[in-house]
Amino acid sequence: MTSTPVKTATLPWWKTTTGYQIYPRSFCDTNGDGIGDIPGIISKLDHLADLGIGFVWLSPVYRSPMIDNGYDIADYHDIAPEFGTLDDLDRLIAEAKARGIGIVMDLVVNHCSSEHAWFKAARESTEAPEHDYFVWRPPHPGNNAAPDDTQSNFGGPAWTYEPQVGKFYLHQFAKEQPDLNWDNPALRAEIYKMMNWWFDRGIAGFRMDVIDLIGKDVDNGILAEGPNLHPYLQEMHRETLAGRDVLAIGESWSVEPDRGILYSGRDRKELSMVFQFDHIKAGWHPVIGKWKPLPFDLVRLKASFFAWQQALAEDGWNSLFLTNHDLPRQVSKYGNDGALRVRSAKGLATVLHLMKGTPFVYQGEEIGMTNVNFDSLDRFRDLELFGHFPIAMNEGQSEADFIAGANDNGRDNSRTPMQWTDGPQAGFTTGTPWIEVNDNYPQINVAADRQTTDGIIAHYRRLIDLRKHLPIITDGRFVAVSEDDPAVFAYARELAGQRLSVVANFTDDTVTYDVPEALSVTGDCISWNADPRDRLDGTVTLAPREAFAVLSEPA
Ligand code: TEU
Ligand code: CA
């Protein structure tokens, strides 16, 4: 149904297309072990092709003890048996390619698994060449304890003692995820060789896990965006990306708008774009963090998106996303996941997809999947949550409050199985899923959404298709409006005398919106989730959660 993307010589393919993230463990299980697998992904490629997706970001499928569901890699050149084989992956690359879809692999190289051969050798002896692939420090001279009090992102100390070598190693995540020492040139060469090995297999790019952490200066306590980050990214570019028509997306929790350009500026020769998280942190408690629910603040959310749109207006490139496998479901977090769920899911998509950048759809978003409502800790699975629970208890938070926080912001929200049908386990597995299926699957599933002509999938399909054909979506100048309006998210895009006006009511009430000058007047309503609008003039009455986009010639 979708037509060939309009490509111009100046636009790389990843600017006119849309990405789709797959969390393999939760996507589709074909052998009944309760764990999604690569054959399952292959069986669902037509769903993605029908949406018009240009590439898939595949969360890690490499061999791994799965302490952090694959973000702990034991072998970068092999596939986890629960997900399949290298042959399956080659088949996935080929089958996806046949549908015009590239496969973007997850590159997790700030750390590996403690089961990786490198770390096994490194912890045996200081003489092993691999010893220096990791970050070791002697015990603190005063008390023989950890070198300093750096904390792991998953709770507890970031240093673990290894008696065999008499030193501590750094792990910014779980102790089974030792940090790699990027200051060792041999390690860097190994990583580049591995990346090229994957490129030669035909992948379309990499999403680079916590890439802002690789340039760390541990002794000065600088972990994120350390002094060597950009030199290493430039070296990586020279050694792997240069001369290849591939996509490189770096994950950076630390980047702020003024530094975005350093990663993706056209003369930087580093990455295509970064995933930044300011709009996500906007939904966290400033002191207690993600485990404390915080009321939604539209003005803050817009400020974040608008700042990034402006920062990368002339150079660099944005990624656009509201959800991933670490984040809550967007319709629950930013929208209405009750009576107005369908309209709200569409509205969020409209606002996100028509900004400047490359949009990402996270599995299940296209049917408006919602957060879970787990009432006890044993129903959760994520190690981050279990690492932080004792800390929260020590700090005096109640268990009920912590669970409320986990249902609001926890990573398991997006990891419950993809809901395909209203059959047993939502059609995800014939066995017992590794994490419970959300109990709303009889209503919310792919088959049900596809049964209506105006489902959420149809809405995404249209947005994705518009991006392929309308240069104003890829190239248009971004114009922020109504920054302080607590109810409406609106902006314009402008290109060659055309204007695209996007307006969305983020509340459950009818809102009277006084349309500012910068938005236009008459034109074609190219996207809507309530009534189509062909005139946008003066004051507009917006239905609850209504969103639309109008393409026009300015008056
Ligand atoms: O995430 C980086 C990361 O910092 C998040 O885990 C973050 O700590 C958390 O969501 C915020 O509370 C990446 C991966 O996306 C994540 O799945 C991995 O667990 C992590 O790196 C370690 O590889
Ligand atoms: Ca399976």
Side-chain angles (χ1 to χ4, degrees), residues 331-355:
V331 73
S332 298
K333 184 73 187 173
Y334 310 102
N336 176 318
D337 65 2
L340 294 168
R341 184 185 63 85
V342 172
R343 188 185 286 178
S344 181
K346 291 178 183 176
L348 289 168
T350 304
V351 160
L352 191 76
H353 282 238
L354 299 178
M355 285 191 279

PDB file of all heavy atoms in Angstrom, residues 331-355:
ATOM      1  N   VAL A 331       0.595   6.472  25.991  1.00  0.00           N
ATOM      2  CA  VAL A 331      -0.804   6.871  26.146  1.00  0.00           C
ATOM      3  C   VAL A 331      -1.184   6.926  27.631  1.00  0.00           C
ATOM      4  O   VAL A 331      -2.055   7.694  28.028  1.00  0.00           O
ATOM      5  CB  VAL A 331      -1.749   5.965  25.326  1.00  0.00           C
ATOM      6  CG1 VAL A 331      -1.879   4.582  25.950  1.00  0.00           C
ATOM      7  CG2 VAL A 331      -3.114   6.615  25.135  1.00  0.00           C
ATOM      8  N   SER A 332      -0.493   6.142  28.454  1.00  0.00           N
ATOM      9  CA  SER A 332      -0.738   6.211  29.896  1.00  0.00           C
ATOM     10  C   SER A 332      -0.020   7.396  30.522  1.00  0.00           C
ATOM     11  O   SER A 332      -0.558   8.058  31.410  1.00  0.00           O
ATOM     12  CB  SER A 332      -0.251   4.933  30.589  1.00  0.00           C
ATOM     13  OG  SER A 332      -0.951   3.812  30.107  1.00  0.00           O
ATOM     14  N   LYS A 333       1.177   7.653  30.069  1.00  0.00           N
ATOM     15  CA  LYS A 333       2.004   8.687  30.691  1.00  0.00           C
ATOM     16  C   LYS A 333       1.575  10.099  30.275  1.00  0.00           C
ATOM     17  O   LYS A 333       1.566  11.010  31.089  1.00  0.00           O
ATOM     18  CB  LYS A 333       3.465   8.441  30.298  1.00  0.00           C
ATOM     19  CG  LYS A 333       4.469   9.370  30.939  1.00  0.00           C
ATOM     20  CD  LYS A 333       4.670   9.045  32.394  1.00  0.00           C
ATOM     21  CE  LYS A 333       5.543  10.097  33.077  1.00  0.00           C
ATOM     22  NZ  LYS A 333       5.613   9.894  34.526  1.00  0.00           N
ATOM     23  N   TYR A 334       1.274  10.274  29.004  1.00  0.00           N
ATOM     24  CA  TYR A 334       1.017  11.634  28.506  1.00  0.00           C
ATOM     25  C   TYR A 334      -0.406  11.825  28.003  1.00  0.00           C
ATOM     26  O   TYR A 334      -0.759  12.916  27.569  1.00  0.00           O
ATOM     27  CB  TYR A 334       1.974  11.967  27.355  1.00  0.00           C
ATOM     28  CG  TYR A 334       3.427  11.679  27.681  1.00  0.00           C
ATOM     29  CD1 TYR A 334       4.062  10.547  27.201  1.00  0.00           C
ATOM     30  CD2 TYR A 334       4.136  12.550  28.508  1.00  0.00           C
ATOM     31  CE1 TYR A 334       5.389  10.270  27.520  1.00  0.00           C
ATOM     32  CE2 TYR A 334       5.457  12.282  28.834  1.00  0.00           C
ATOM     33  CZ  TYR A 334       6.070  11.138  28.334  1.00  0.00           C
ATOM     34  OH  TYR A 334       7.361  10.874  28.664  1.00  0.00           O
ATOM     35  N   GLY A 335      -1.169  10.749  27.979  1.00  0.00           N
ATOM     36  CA  GLY A 335      -2.495  10.834  27.381  1.00  0.00           C
ATOM     37  C   GLY A 335      -3.592  10.321  28.292  1.00  0.00           C
ATOM     38  O   GLY A 335      -3.488  10.392  29.511  1.00  0.00           O
ATOM     39  N   ASN A 336      -4.620   9.787  27.658  1.00  0.00           N
ATOM     40  CA  ASN A 336      -5.760   9.225  28.373  1.00  0.00           C
ATOM     41  C   ASN A 336      -5.822   7.755  27.983  1.00  0.00           C
ATOM     42  O   ASN A 336      -6.045   7.434  26.815  1.00  0.00           O
ATOM     43  CB  ASN A 336      -7.041   9.963  27.952  1.00  0.00           C
ATOM     44  CG  ASN A 336      -8.288   9.379  28.590  1.00  0.00           C
ATOM     45  OD1 ASN A 336      -8.442   8.158  28.670  1.00  0.00           O
ATOM     46  ND2 ASN A 336      -9.190  10.239  29.028  1.00  0.00           N
ATOM     47  N   ASP A 337      -5.593   6.869  28.961  1.00  0.00           N
ATOM     48  CA  ASP A 337      -5.613   5.445  28.611  1.00  0.00           C
ATOM     49  C   ASP A 337      -6.937   4.786  28.994  1.00  0.00           C
ATOM     50  O   ASP A 337      -7.046   3.576  29.049  1.00  0.00           O
ATOM     51  CB  ASP A 337      -4.396   4.700  29.179  1.00  0.00           C
ATOM     52  CG  ASP A 337      -4.368   4.669  30.692  1.00  0.00           C
ATOM     53  OD1 ASP A 337      -5.318   5.193  31.326  1.00  0.00           O
ATOM     54  OD2 ASP A 337      -3.403   4.101  31.247  1.00  0.00           O
ATOM     55  N   GLY A 338      -7.947   5.628  29.232  1.00  0.00           N
ATOM     56  CA  GLY A 338      -9.284   5.120  29.535  1.00  0.00           C
ATOM     57  C   GLY A 338     -10.223   5.339  28.367  1.00  0.00           C
ATOM     58  O   GLY A 338      -9.967   4.913  27.244  1.00  0.00           O
ATOM     59  N   ALA A 339     -11.274   6.088  28.619  1.00  0.00           N
ATOM     60  CA  ALA A 339     -12.345   6.250  27.629  1.00  0.00           C
ATOM     61  C   ALA A 339     -11.861   6.901  26.327  1.00  0.00           C
ATOM     62  O   ALA A 339     -12.383   6.603  25.258  1.00  0.00           O
ATOM     63  CB  ALA A 339     -13.473   7.075  28.235  1.00  0.00           C
ATOM     64  N   LEU A 340     -10.863   7.774  26.425  1.00  0.00           N
ATOM     65  CA  LEU A 340     -10.404   8.484  25.219  1.00  0.00           C
ATOM     66  C   LEU A 340      -9.087   7.908  24.674  1.00  0.00           C
ATOM     67  O   LEU A 340      -8.328   8.587  23.987  1.00  0.00           O
ATOM     68  CB  LEU A 340     -10.233   9.973  25.532  1.00  0.00           C
ATOM     69  CG  LEU A 340     -11.523  10.728  25.850  1.00  0.00           C
ATOM     70  CD1 LEU A 340     -11.211  12.108  26.437  1.00  0.00           C
ATOM     71  CD2 LEU A 340     -12.376  10.864  24.594  1.00  0.00           C
ATOM     72  N   ARG A 341      -8.838   6.650  24.999  1.00  0.00           N
ATOM     73  CA  ARG A 341      -7.536   6.058  24.666  1.00  0.00           C
ATOM     74  C   ARG A 341      -7.208   6.110  23.173  1.00  0.00           C
ATOM     75  O   ARG A 341      -6.115   6.523  22.785  1.00  0.00           O
ATOM     76  CB  ARG A 341      -7.500   4.601  25.151  1.00  0.00           C
ATOM     77  CG  ARG A 341      -6.166   3.908  24.946  1.00  0.00           C
ATOM     78  CD  ARG A 341      -6.256   2.450  25.339  1.00  0.00           C
ATOM     79  NE  ARG A 341      -7.208   1.746  24.500  1.00  0.00           N
ATOM     80  CZ  ARG A 341      -6.918   1.215  23.310  1.00  0.00           C
ATOM     81  NH1 ARG A 341      -5.686   1.275  22.847  1.00  0.00           N
ATOM     82  NH2 ARG A 341      -7.844   0.604  22.589  1.00  0.00           N
ATOM     83  N   VAL A 342      -8.125   5.719  22.343  1.00  0.00           N
ATOM     84  CA  VAL A 342      -7.825   5.650  20.909  1.00  0.00           C
ATOM     85  C   VAL A 342      -7.530   7.040  20.359  1.00  0.00           C
ATOM     86  O   VAL A 342      -6.511   7.271  19.689  1.00  0.00           O
ATOM     87  CB  VAL A 342      -8.993   4.985  20.136  1.00  0.00           C
ATOM     88  CG1 VAL A 342      -8.773   5.100  18.635  1.00  0.00           C
ATOM     89  CG2 VAL A 342      -9.123   3.520  20.559  1.00  0.00           C
ATOM     90  N   ARG A 343      -8.383   7.968  20.691  1.00  0.00           N
ATOM     91  CA  ARG A 343      -8.175   9.332  20.200  1.00  0.00           C
ATOM     92  C   ARG A 343      -6.854   9.901  20.738  1.00  0.00           C
ATOM     93  O   ARG A 343      -6.097  10.551  20.023  1.00  0.00           O
ATOM     94  CB  ARG A 343      -9.349  10.219  20.620  1.00  0.00           C
ATOM     95  CG  ARG A 343      -9.279  11.588  19.972  1.00  0.00           C
ATOM     96  CD  ARG A 343     -10.364  12.497  20.467  1.00  0.00           C
ATOM     97  NE  ARG A 343     -11.674  12.153  19.919  1.00  0.00           N
ATOM     98  CZ  ARG A 343     -12.788  12.813  20.249  1.00  0.00           C
ATOM     99  NH1 ARG A 343     -12.734  13.805  21.126  1.00  0.00           N
ATOM    100  NH2 ARG A 343     -13.945  12.467  19.720  1.00  0.00           N
ATOM    101  N   SER A 344      -6.609   9.630  21.997  1.00  0.00           N
ATOM    102  CA  SER A 344      -5.414  10.153  22.637  1.00  0.00           C
ATOM    103  C   SER A 344      -4.139   9.550  22.037  1.00  0.00           C
ATOM    104  O   SER A 344      -3.154  10.254  21.768  1.00  0.00           O
ATOM    105  CB  SER A 344      -5.518   9.846  24.139  1.00  0.00           C
ATOM    106  OG  SER A 344      -4.431  10.334  24.819  1.00  0.00           O
ATOM    107  N   ALA A 345      -4.161   8.257  21.776  1.00  0.00           N
ATOM    108  CA  ALA A 345      -2.988   7.598  21.164  1.00  0.00           C
ATOM    109  C   ALA A 345      -2.703   8.207  19.792  1.00  0.00           C
ATOM    110  O   ALA A 345      -1.542   8.445  19.423  1.00  0.00           O
ATOM    111  CB  ALA A 345      -3.229   6.095  21.044  1.00  0.00           C
ATOM    112  N   LYS A 346      -3.756   8.467  19.051  1.00  0.00           N
ATOM    113  CA  LYS A 346      -3.569   9.083  17.726  1.00  0.00           C
ATOM    114  C   LYS A 346      -3.035  10.506  17.856  1.00  0.00           C
ATOM    115  O   LYS A 346      -2.163  10.923  17.086  1.00  0.00           O
ATOM    116  CB  LYS A 346      -4.903   9.122  16.970  1.00  0.00           C
ATOM    117  CG  LYS A 346      -5.435   7.770  16.542  1.00  0.00           C
ATOM    118  CD  LYS A 346      -6.784   7.984  15.848  1.00  0.00           C
ATOM    119  CE  LYS A 346      -7.444   6.692  15.437  1.00  0.00           C
ATOM    120  NZ  LYS A 346      -8.782   6.943  14.869  1.00  0.00           N
ATOM    121  N   GLY A 347      -3.555  11.246  18.803  1.00  0.00           N
ATOM    122  CA  GLY A 347      -3.130  12.629  18.988  1.00  0.00           C
ATOM    123  C   GLY A 347      -1.646  12.718  19.337  1.00  0.00           C
ATOM    124  O   GLY A 347      -0.916  13.569  18.815  1.00  0.00           O
ATOM    125  N   LEU A 348      -1.204  11.834  20.224  1.00  0.00           N
ATOM    126  CA  LEU A 348       0.210  11.835  20.584  1.00  0.00           C
ATOM    127  C   LEU A 348       1.074  11.554  19.357  1.00  0.00           C
ATOM    128  O   LEU A 348       2.123  12.166  19.157  1.00  0.00           O
ATOM    129  CB  LEU A 348       0.477  10.791  21.675  1.00  0.00           C
ATOM    130  CG  LEU A 348      -0.085  11.133  23.061  1.00  0.00           C
ATOM    131  CD1 LEU A 348      -0.013   9.915  23.982  1.00  0.00           C
ATOM    132  CD2 LEU A 348       0.685  12.308  23.672  1.00  0.00           C
ATOM    133  N   ALA A 349       0.625  10.627  18.539  1.00  0.00           N
ATOM    134  CA  ALA A 349       1.389  10.291  17.331  1.00  0.00           C
ATOM    135  C   ALA A 349       1.457  11.493  16.393  1.00  0.00           C
ATOM    136  O   ALA A 349       2.513  11.802  15.839  1.00  0.00           O
ATOM    137  CB  ALA A 349       0.745   9.090  16.633  1.00  0.00           C
ATOM    138  N   THR A 350       0.343  12.178  16.222  1.00  0.00           N
ATOM    139  CA  THR A 350       0.316  13.334  15.322  1.00  0.00           C
ATOM    140  C   THR A 350       1.357  14.365  15.743  1.00  0.00           C
ATOM    141  O   THR A 350       2.166  14.836  14.933  1.00  0.00           O
ATOM    142  CB  THR A 350      -1.086  13.992  15.350  1.00  0.00           C
ATOM    143  OG1 THR A 350      -2.053  13.001  15.004  1.00  0.00           O
ATOM    144  CG2 THR A 350      -1.175  15.161  14.387  1.00  0.00           C
ATOM    145  N   VAL A 351       1.321  14.703  17.020  1.00  0.00           N
ATOM    146  CA  VAL A 351       2.224  15.726  17.525  1.00  0.00           C
ATOM    147  C   VAL A 351       3.688  15.315  17.367  1.00  0.00           C
ATOM    148  O   VAL A 351       4.539  16.104  16.973  1.00  0.00           O
ATOM    149  CB  VAL A 351       1.877  15.989  19.018  1.00  0.00           C
ATOM    150  CG1 VAL A 351       3.014  16.644  19.740  1.00  0.00           C
ATOM    151  CG2 VAL A 351       0.621  16.827  19.111  1.00  0.00           C
ATOM    152  N   LEU A 352       3.970  14.062  17.635  1.00  0.00           N
ATOM    153  CA  LEU A 352       5.357  13.601  17.590  1.00  0.00           C
ATOM    154  C   LEU A 352       5.872  13.479  16.152  1.00  0.00           C
ATOM    155  O   LEU A 352       6.976  13.921  15.835  1.00  0.00           O
ATOM    156  CB  LEU A 352       5.468  12.241  18.289  1.00  0.00           C
ATOM    157  CG  LEU A 352       6.901  11.798  18.538  1.00  0.00           C
ATOM    158  CD1 LEU A 352       7.488  12.571  19.717  1.00  0.00           C
ATOM    159  CD2 LEU A 352       7.006  10.305  18.784  1.00  0.00           C
ATOM    160  N   HIS A 353       5.068  12.872  15.283  1.00  0.00           N
ATOM    161  CA  HIS A 353       5.542  12.539  13.938  1.00  0.00           C
ATOM    162  C   HIS A 353       5.689  13.744  13.011  1.00  0.00           C
ATOM    163  O   HIS A 353       6.356  13.640  11.987  1.00  0.00           O
ATOM    164  CB  HIS A 353       4.628  11.503  13.287  1.00  0.00           C
ATOM    165  CG  HIS A 353       4.870  10.123  13.783  1.00  0.00           C
ATOM    166  ND1 HIS A 353       5.213   9.079  12.969  1.00  0.00           N
ATOM    167  CD2 HIS A 353       4.847   9.622  15.046  1.00  0.00           C
ATOM    168  CE1 HIS A 353       5.376   7.992  13.707  1.00  0.00           C
ATOM    169  NE2 HIS A 353       5.158   8.288  14.959  1.00  0.00           N
ATOM    170  N   LEU A 354       5.054  14.860  13.357  1.00  0.00           N
ATOM    171  CA  LEU A 354       5.129  15.995  12.442  1.00  0.00           C
ATOM    172  C   LEU A 354       6.172  17.024  12.866  1.00  0.00           C
ATOM    173  O   LEU A 354       6.320  18.066  12.236  1.00  0.00           O
ATOM    174  CB  LEU A 354       3.735  16.612  12.251  1.00  0.00           C
ATOM    175  CG  LEU A 354       2.711  15.614  11.637  1.00  0.00           C
ATOM    176  CD1 LEU A 354       1.336  16.255  11.503  1.00  0.00           C
ATOM    177  CD2 LEU A 354       3.191  15.074  10.289  1.00  0.00           C
ATOM    178  N   MET A 355       6.906  16.718  13.927  1.00  0.00           N
ATOM    179  CA  MET A 355       8.053  17.569  14.255  1.00  0.00           C
ATOM    180  C   MET A 355       9.212  17.181  13.336  1.00  0.00           C
ATOM    181  O   MET A 355       9.139  16.219  12.573  1.00  0.00           O
ATOM    182  CB  MET A 355       8.437  17.410  15.732  1.00  0.00           C
ATOM    183  CG  MET A 355       7.460  18.126  16.666  1.00  0.00           C
ATOM    184  SD  MET A 355       8.026  18.241  18.385  1.00  0.00           S
ATOM    185  CE  MET A 355       7.578  16.621  18.980  1.00  0.00           C
TER     186      MET A 355
END
